[in-house]
């Protein structure tokens, strides 16, 4: 049994309650770790440590902070195999995916912000020869970062890197479902020379630790990625306190396939968009709209390709889908598949749990599931399932598919497949989403703004947006 500890003021310490939650390996369906059941007292300790560290960290030069971040990135890179295995054991995703995507991206996040921060300029505005304005940017102070369980270290570092780069001290809470890699990060930070108290990692439940962070007067900003309901709760508490907030919430992303697409490429990318990471990525394309002229052809090619995606032990290279992150989430996905049937959908592939032989017999696995025959406005096509479940919906005209694609309360990402350049741009402009991919999916340039509209969130992460989020701006006006 691995016991995880909080990382406060540069030291690994027990939660004040001395209580622990059960940490599961989802592929085994078994408890394998103990996760601190921290509360507001641990948050208080971390805030005190952060406040103490603030003056020193905030007065380091940009170059010094960047160098520390680069050393943290290199420290993770040097332990790539270990981090990848920990991520897989904790989250359930295939090990090859942790190695190819999650841990390398965590390294890139740190390297990117270490470098980007060096290039963030202030602004200057001249009114006439006698008056000019310039902008000073200073760290906010102590900030809170709350991250989810689908891409654990990837999203954890996506938040803490810009916050640290701009001179803030951070109280960070990884998901209680996947705390392992974040807990390992403390060792790397110490080895990299990050001063004590600059990054504090507290484990525990959202309702205790997350909520104590949101309420804490001295935590001046919250950067959150997670469910829309949780985002609404954080806003309810933090908005009246005038905290800065960045909320990256759920998605129900449409994939628009026109009959003039590059067919083979479209099938392959649509399968990846649907089932990568067991469909547990807020960017997954789970509503697949297909022009009726190629509906049947696409359906059979898509099904053939999905059948090749084996569900299995995450440690096997041949497993394209691993386990679902938690039992609760596994049950939620299965309940949506049951709902799809009640709503009149036909399950044309998958449709239930998968029993994986060997050490994973008790694990939480679900077959990639394809459903057709549902209307665009039923619950299955409106609510976020966040699992390996997609629907196929035919359409006739461009106007019709735009209406259906934009019909949900979410607006994170859209994907359009067409070889017609005018159509691609025309439809992209009409998508109610923060991101539009044309003939590709999950192509990420870390400089671009990342986030959603409607119930998919508020604010943008990525690039200079995140660096600016973690600063306060001050306009200085000079009259000569
Ligand atoms: O996420 P939560 P859940 C979606 C997905 C999923 C649903 C619910 O549809 O099925 O959300 O997942 C912390 N104050 N996404 O309930 O609870 C929590 O401890 C402060 C989309 O597991 O939102 C964790 O660290 N913090 C998504 C983090 O919030 C609180 C990724 C996210 O967990 C809190 C994950 C509170 N009151 C789920 N309650 C995406 N956008 O990528 C919980 N937390």
């Amino acid at each position: 049994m691995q016991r995880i500890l909080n990382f406060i003021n540069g030291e690994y310490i027990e939660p004040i309650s001395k209580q622990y939650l059960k940490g599961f390996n989802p592929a085994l369906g078994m408890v394998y770790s103990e996760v601190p059941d921290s509360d507001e007292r641990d948050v208080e300790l971390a805030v005190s440590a952060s406040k103490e560290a603030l003056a020193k960290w905030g007065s380091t030069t940009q170059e010094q902070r960047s160098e520390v971040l680069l050393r943290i990135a290199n420290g993770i890179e040097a332990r790539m195999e270990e981090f990848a295995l920990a991520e897989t054991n904790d989250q359930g995703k295939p090990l090859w995916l942790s190695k190819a995507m999650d841990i390398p991206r965590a390294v890139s996040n740190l390297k990117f912000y270490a470098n980007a921060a060096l290039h963030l300029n202030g602004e200057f505005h001249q009114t006439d020869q006698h008056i000019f304005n310039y902008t000073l940017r200073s760290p906010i102070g102590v900030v809170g970062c709350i991250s989810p369980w689908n891409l654990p270290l990837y999203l954890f570092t996506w938040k803490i890197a810009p916050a640290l780069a701009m001179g803030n001290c951070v109280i960070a809470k990884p998901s209680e479902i996947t705390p392992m890699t974040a807990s390992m990060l403390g060792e790397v930070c110490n080895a990299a020379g990050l001063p004590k108290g600059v990054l504090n990692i507290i484990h525990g439940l959202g309702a205790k630790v997350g909520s104590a962070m949101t309420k804490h007067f001295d935590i001046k900003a919250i950067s959150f990625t997670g469910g829309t309901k949780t985002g609404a709760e954080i806003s309810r508490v933090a908005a009246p306190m005038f905290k800065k907030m960045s909320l990256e919430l759920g998605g129900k992303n449409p994939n628009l396939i026109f009959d003039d697409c590059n067919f083979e490429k479209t099938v392959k990318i649509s399968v990846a968009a649907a089932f990568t990471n067991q469909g547990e990525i807020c960017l997954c394309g789970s509503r697949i709209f297909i022009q009726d002229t190629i509906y049947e052809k696409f359906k059979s090619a898509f099904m053939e390709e999905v059948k090749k995606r084996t569900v299995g032990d995450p440690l096997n290279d041949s497993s394209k889908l691993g386990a679902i992150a938690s039992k609760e989430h596994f049950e939620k996905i299965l309940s949506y598949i049951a709902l799809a049937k009640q709503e009149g959908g036909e399950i044309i592939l998958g449709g239930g749990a998968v029993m994986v032989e060997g050490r994973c017999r008790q694990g939480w696995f679900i077959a990639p599931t394809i459903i057709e025959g549902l209307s665009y406005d039923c619950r299955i096509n409106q609510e976020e399932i966040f699992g390996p479940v997609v629907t196929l919906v035919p359409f006739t005209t461009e106007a019709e598919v735009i209406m259906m694609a934009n019909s949900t309360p979410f607006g994170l990402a859209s994907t359009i497949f067409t070889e017609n350049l005018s159509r691609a741009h025309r439809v992209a402009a009409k998508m109610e989403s923060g991101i539009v991919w044309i003939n590709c999916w999950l192509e990420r340039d870390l400089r671009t703004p990342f986030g959603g509209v409607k119930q998919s969130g508020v604010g943008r992460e990525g690039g200079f947006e995140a660096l600016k989020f973690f600063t306060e701006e001050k306009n200085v006006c000079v009259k000569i």
Side-chain angles (χ1 to χ4, degrees):
M1 194 70 68
Q2 268 175 276
R3 175 171 277 196
I4 290 173
L5 296 171
N6 287 332
F7 179 72
I8 299 179
N9 208 20
E11 282 169 25
Y12 282 96
I13 57 172
E14 284 211 90
I16 292 173
S17 67
K18 305 257 191 294
Q19 299 298 308
Y20 290 83
L21 307 162
K22 291 175 180 163
F24 289 86
N25 177 329
L28 307 181
M30 273 163 50
V31 178
Y32 87 115
S33 70
E34 293 178 315
V35 183
D37 184 7
S38 312
D39 56 37
E40 72 280 359
R41 293 170 294 172
D42 305 280
V43 172
E44 196 57 60
L45 263 188
V47 171
S48 303
S50 273
K51 281 166 75 178
E52 202 142 304
L54 200 55
K56 198 168 155 210
W57 184 243
S59 62
T60 49
T61 64
Q62 190 61 65
E63 281 79 7
Q64 287 168 329
R65 292 197 293 274
S66 292
E67 276 165 22
V68 175
L69 287 187
L70 288 175
R71 287 201 295 272
I72 299 173
N74 294 336
I76 299 174
E77 208 162 23
R79 291 170 62 182
M80 180 70 74
E81 297 283 325
E82 202 188 326
F83 268 95
L85 183 61
E87 201 71 295
T88 285
N89 286 337
D90 224 25
Q91 208 276 342
K93 68 181 70 203
L95 182 58
W96 61 262
L97 188 63
S98 295
K99 284 185 195 170
M101 178 177 77
D102 291 76
I103 310 303
R105 173 58 192 273
V107 171
S108 303
N109 289 339
L110 287 150
K111 287 187 177 171
F112 174 80
Y113 280 112
N115 289 310
L118 296 173
H119 301 279
L120 182 67
N121 293 319
E123 279 128 48
F124 171 78
H125 310 270
Q126 188 153 17
T127 312
D128 58 34
Q129 321 163 256
H130 306 294
I131 299 182
F132 67 89
N133 291 275
Y134 64 91
T135 307
L136 289 178
R137 282 187 187 281
S138 50
I140 298 176
V142 180
V143 299
C145 296
I146 302 175
S147 53
W149 44 260
N150 57 331
L151 302 169
L153 195 66
Y154 175 137
L155 292 176
F156 190 81
T157 50
W158 183 232
K159 295 184 180 304
I160 64 163
L164 296 174
M166 296 318 291
N168 299 281
C169 288
V170 178
I171 315 289
K173 191 196 102 56
S175 169
E176 59 276 26
I177 297 170
T178 53
M180 194 59 82
T181 47
S183 86
M184 291 161 64
L185 190 65
E187 298 159 20
V188 175
C189 290
N190 280 346
L194 184 74
K196 287 179 190 308
V198 172
L199 172 66
N200 301 281
I201 303 167
I202 309 188
H203 301 278
L205 298 170
K208 282 192 194 172
V209 179
S211 126
M213 287 168 64
T214 311
K215 282 186 204 142
H216 202 292
F217 179 78
D218 291 326
I219 299 182
K220 301 292 184 193
I222 297 283
S223 173
F224 168 78
T225 298
T228 295
K229 242 170 93 185
T230 314
E233 171 60 15
I234 289 174
S235 284
R236 192 186 62 75
V237 177
M241 298 175 78
F242 306 110
K243 289 193 184 199
K244 272 187 117 174
M245 270 183 286
S246 166
L247 305 174
E248 205 272 283
L249 311 175
K252 185 73 180 175
N253 310 303
N255 182 354
L256 287 62
I257 300 173
F258 291 93
D259 61 6
D260 55 8
C261 66
N262 175 324
F263 190 80
E264 263 89 62
K265 222 162 79 179
T266 301
V267 172
K268 284 216 154 67
I269 298 172
S270 299
V271 172
F275 299 114
T276 299
N277 209 47
Q278 301 73 245
E280 295 165 335
I281 304 183
C282 52
L283 302 165
C284 279
S286 56
R287 294 180 295 146
I288 307 180
F289 297 103
I290 308 143
Q291 200 150 26
D292 45 15
T293 39
I294 58 163
Y295 183 86
E296 289 303 327
K297 182 178 168 201
F298 179 88
K299 176 175 138 184
S300 47
F302 185 74
M303 282 170 72
E304 282 318 302
E305 202 55 44
V306 177
K307 281 180 196 160
K308 295 182 199 158
R309 298 230 145 189
T310 331
V311 180
D313 187 336
L315 298 186
N316 294 344
D317 280 349
S318 58
S319 303
K320 296 294 173 247
L321 281 82
I324 301 299
S326 68
K327 182 142 193 279
E328 196 188 355
H329 193 53
F330 168 81
E331 280 161 4
K332 176 182 155 182
I333 297 169
L334 291 179
S335 77
Y336 268 109
I337 295 174
L339 175 65
K341 292 180 198 157
Q342 279 169 32
E343 289 191 314
E346 190 189 340
I347 315 284
I348 56 174
L349 197 74
V354 174
M355 159 84 161
V356 172
E357 292 301 330
R359 70 176 199 121
C360 296
R361 266 190 316 278
Q362 291 172 51
W364 307 313
F365 295 86
I366 294 182
T369 297
I370 310 175
I371 305 166
E372 69 171 354
L374 287 170
S375 70
Y376 74 92
D377 56 355
C378 69
R379 281 186 58 198
I380 291 294
N381 275 328
Q382 293 289 314
E383 296 175 15
E384 186 179 42
I385 300 175
F386 214 64
V389 179
V390 297
T391 58
L392 305 185
V393 180
F395 71 91
T396 307
T397 65
E398 200 176 292
E400 182 192 10
V401 73
I402 291 170
M403 180 278 291
M404 294 197 290
N406 288 338
S407 68
T408 74
F410 299 101
L412 191 52
S414 317
T415 309
I416 301 167
F417 291 97
T418 176
E419 293 294 301
N420 177 330
L421 192 61
S422 303
R423 167 180 276 157
H425 291 293
R426 190 168 60 234
V427 177
K430 291 196 172 142
M431 286 293 100
E432 291 172 4
S433 61
I435 301 157
V436 180
W437 278 296
I438 297 171
N439 298 329
C440 59
W441 176 75
L442 206 59
E443 290 291 341
R444 291 281 297 121
D445 179 326
L446 302 189
R447 292 170 301 177
T448 58
F450 178 88
V453 301
K454 303 197 274 188
Q455 290 186 19
S456 288
V458 178
R460 294 291 180 271
E461 298 190 291
F464 290 132
E465 303 293 327
L467 292 175
K468 288 179 181 169
F469 173 78
F470 285 111
T471 61
E472 284 294 358
E473 281 177 288
K474 184 183 289 167
N475 168 227
V476 182
C477 178
V478 185
K479 187 164 184 179
I480 301 163

